Amino acid sequence: MDAVIKNFPPHTEKGEKTAETKSYMDKPVTDRPSQEEVENAVRTLLRWTGDDIAREGLVETPKRVAKAYSEMFSGYDQCPAEELGRTFEEVQGYNDMVLIKDISFHSHCEHHMVPIIGKAHVAYLPDGKVVGLSKIARVVDIFARRLQTQEAMTAQIAHVIQDVLKPRGVAVLVEAEHMCMAMRGIRKQGSVTLTTTFTGVYREDLQEQARFMTMLRDKHG
């Protein structure tokens, strides 16, 4: 199995937010076509493949594709910051790492609109408050259910957690297989790309980075 590792540091310095950072805190604003326009576009693609759009198996395909896309790209209708809005301060003095491993996701490459399938591992160091574990998984899903690059998605997950929760640090590692490599082009199945983003203490302290990576490898971590 091949692997490519990329590290993406925060886009901000000294806690300052850029326009790019703020942009993914909200729901994207899109000018969407009508249901009819979407179904006609699918029919055009079906015709372009060389198939017969009038045959029984394809008659309902445009409607099915439109419905499937509304599910697969539902992240455009959701705000990741809202998912992190409710926190808990009764943590009994706990201030060590919170790590959620193996958050499975499926996304779509923005270059070819084919699947990206993988897992995200997210950790943060609380600063007096924590968030429900399912909320972290929801944030991963929201960003995954948009057209993405793995690099951008990794950074977005880390930055929104840092910006909303304001922990002492966030660590995110994403590992995924890209169907644009497996199904087309060089057609290399099983090649996995790893991307990481670290903020705060994780960015500044290599020992904390190493502890994060060690806990990922530990079956009981």
Side-chain angles (χ1 to χ4, degrees), residues 1-4 115 176-193:
M1 180 182 294
D2 300 326
V4 179
E177 182 175 4
H178 294 241
M179 294 301 104
C180 57
M181 287 183 62
M183 298 169 60
R184 56 162 300 282
I186 60 174
R187 298 181 183 178
K188 295 293 183 182
Q189 290 80 28
S191 179
V192 176
T193 297

Side-chain angles (χ1 to χ4, degrees), residues 24-27 74-75 77-88 130-143 146 160-161 164-165:
Y24 57 74
M25 297 281 282
D26 303 313
K27 300 175 186 177
S74 60
D77 294 320
Q78 299 169 296
C79 174
E82 290 179 358
E83 291 294 332
L84 299 170
R86 184 181 180 186
T87 58
F88 304 93
V130 297
V131 69
L133 301 180
S134 65
K135 301 301 184 181
I136 299 294
R138 288 290 299 148
V139 167
V140 172
D141 271 346
I142 288 172
F143 285 123
R146 301 178 182 181
V160 76
I161 295 172
V164 178
L165 293 186

Side-chain angles (χ1 to χ4, degrees), residues 35 83 86 89 91 100 126 142 150 175 211 215 221:
Q35 179 78 13
E83 291 294 332
R86 184 181 180 186
E89 297 185 4
V91 294
I100 305 95
I142 288 172
Q150 183 176 330
E175 52 181 312
R211 190 161 72 101
M215 289 181 70

Side-chain angles (χ1 to χ4, degrees), residues 49-63:
T49 66
D51 214 322
D52 177 10
I53 63 172
R55 70 179 178 84
E56 182 181 9
L58 294 181
V59 171
E60 296 296 320
T61 294
K63 184 179 296 184

